[in-house]
Amino acid sequence: MTIFSRIIGTGSYLPGSPVSNLQLAADLAARGITTSDEWITERTGIRARHLAPESVTCSDLALEASRRALAAAGKAPDDIDLIILATSTPDLVFPSAAALLQDKLGIKNGAAAFDVQAVCSGFVYALTIAEKFIRSGSHHRALVVGAEVFSRILDWNDRGTCVLFGDGAGAVVLEASEVPGILSTALHADGSYNAILSVPGQVCGGRVIGTPLLQMEGQTVFKFAVKVLHEVAQEVLAQAGVTIDQVDWLIPHQANIRILHSTAKKLGLPAERVIITVEQHGNTSAASIPLALDEAVRSGKIRRGDMLLLEGVGGGFTWGAALLKF
Ligand code: UT7
């Protein structure tokens, strides 16, 4: 019998109150950095983001999102036998944020736990890996999480990047199933583009070598994102023998509303069938897709049986997509 996998619960969590563009612009002005609500809204669609207090870590955000996903799935922590956490902003160099999350959830059953680092494509990578573990029969029920505290790695003196990102977490419970949930997946990377979006620093001998803050060539990333998001969407649709008009909802990585609209237009999908949360969350990297998914599920937009196309793109460069019946 073929084993498939299905999402049986979603959850998400945003720290603190939203920080509006106006508020952020005022905070930045105090540091001598000029920006405006108009610029941020026009160029990105972002109106607000959430920023975690210093004491809150990646695994703290992951914990809240995971509890909500487990509750939605009607499962207890010990029902999970695999934890995959996508992040580029883990609590520590090691142990992994996934191991810390396992401890915080009180899971004592020896469930495997590891992090995936594929920046903004991280959740699609993590979901794809979990799907393959479940399909192989080695694991039965996975907690797949995207969690980030990107505010920690932003250069608050670089107005070209610091206004774009936010913190948050999203999670899903993925379970073995006789009927297909995930229909097709595709993952890609091209490391030769590593320099266009990076945090080019490392810890060595107790010191940071290089730059521990995010750097981005915005326009190069923009063009690359629109191109590969289109290609990978076509790839998973073709793999599953599904046409774009059968897709109920596109849930892309939330980086810039102009990228989301261009992607939908190129695919021939009406803008009303795209889940958009970038306005309120900013770019939360690996957390953005599961956050958007959970919000749309809880608001009643996404219903059981809907065909969903998830796709991400980010540093590496990495990109990927997953087509699934919810
Ligand atoms: O999650 C991974 C994927 N990341 C992305 O997908 C991001 C992709 N890139 C983008 O979203 C866009 O390239 C940005 C939003 C980052 C930038 O938009 P842009 O339309 O490409 O603007 P730009 O970088 O060409 O800058 C235009 C102008 C510049 O001024 P001059 O040189 O024309 O005088 C910038 O200095 O806007 C200026 N600028 C700002 N002005 C006010 C840059 N940042 C700001 C700011 N406020 N925050």
Side-chain angles (χ1 to χ4, degrees):
M1 188 189 76
T2 311
I3 308 172
F4 299 101
S5 65
R6 253 185 84 229
I7 293 177
I8 58 163
T10 66
S12 64
Y13 180 73
L14 292 159
S17 319
V19 178
S20 70
N21 290 344
L22 279 176
Q23 197 180 331
L24 185 65
D27 292 348
L28 290 173
R31 307 168 69 109
I33 309 295
T34 308
T35 187
S36 64
D37 177 39
E38 294 71 37
W39 191 94
I40 303 171
T41 308
E42 264 172 37
R43 301 285 176 131
T44 71
I46 298 167
R47 293 177 187 277
R49 75 285 295 140
H50 291 247
L51 303 173
E54 218 173 283
S55 58
V56 172
T57 64
C58 170
S59 66
D60 291 330
L61 302 183
L63 175 64
E64 295 306 325
S66 300
R67 281 185 175 144
R68 292 173 189 188
L70 285 165
K75 298 294 170 192
D78 265 318
D79 294 330
I80 297 295
D81 59 10
L82 173 67
I83 301 171
I84 309 182
L85 195 159
T87 189
S88 299
T89 49
D91 303 34
L92 305 168
V93 173
F94 73 79
S96 67
L100 301 178
L101 173 63
Q102 188 210 48
D103 181 45
K104 287 178 180 177
L105 282 167
I107 295 178
K108 298 284 183 204
N109 62 6
F114 58 91
D115 288 357
V116 164
Q117 213 275 43
V119 200
C120 304
S121 312
F123 183 77
V124 174
Y125 266 67
L127 189 68
T128 301
I129 296 165
E131 190 261 343
K132 291 184 192 300
F133 269 63
I134 289 175
R135 200 147 45 88
S136 77
S138 68
H139 291 73
H140 184 69
R141 195 174 296 115
L143 180 61
V144 186
V145 189
E148 301 279 16
V149 280
F150 249 57
S151 57
R152 306 281 153 81
I153 53 166
L154 297 178
D155 179 353
W156 292 100
N157 292 311
D158 175 13
R159 67 178 183 170
T161 54
C162 72
V163 301
L164 305 176
F165 295 89
D167 302 333
V172 303
V173 178
L174 190 72
E175 185 180 72
S177 160
E178 285 175 16
V179 290
I182 296 185
L183 303 174
S184 58
T185 58
L187 299 179
H188 296 287
D190 184 342
S192 68
Y193 286 92
N194 65 81
I196 64 172
L197 177 50
S198 65
V199 178
Q202 56 163 303
V203 177
C204 178
R207 287 184 302 131
V208 174
I209 308 290
T211 308
L213 302 175
L214 183 146
Q215 300 178 348
M216 177 168 74
E217 290 174 28
Q219 287 191 6
T220 315
V221 170
F222 192 106
K223 285 180 202 142
F224 199 100
V226 173
K227 177 177 174 289
V228 298
L229 286 173
H230 179 67
E231 287 171 1
V232 80
Q234 300 283 25
E235 185 180 347
V236 290
L237 287 169
Q239 224 185 89
V242 168
T243 55
I244 193 67
D245 48 287
Q246 292 174 271
V247 172
D248 295 297
W249 296 104
L250 175 67
I251 311 176
H253 167 50
Q254 309 281 318
N256 184 320
I257 205 157
R258 292 186 289 138
I259 297 179
L260 307 192
H261 286 155
S262 302
T263 306
K265 196 170 166 198
K266 267 181 113 173
L267 284 170
L269 195 74
E272 310 80 68
R273 300 224 308 266
V274 185
I275 302 293
I276 294 177
T277 53
V278 70
E279 291 151 335
Q280 297 309 318
H281 301 171
N283 180 345
T284 58
S285 190
S288 89
I289 294 172
L291 258 165
L293 171 65
D294 183 53
E295 284 214 358
V297 168
R298 282 172 198 265
S299 72
K301 263 189 185 173
I302 292 179
R303 290 154 195 255
R304 280 279 157 219
D306 280 357
M307 181 80 76
L308 310 184
L309 175 51
L310 279 48
E311 51 175 357
V313 58
F317 233 74
T318 55
W319 63 101
L323 184 71
L324 59 100
K325 270 247 176 222
F326 186 67

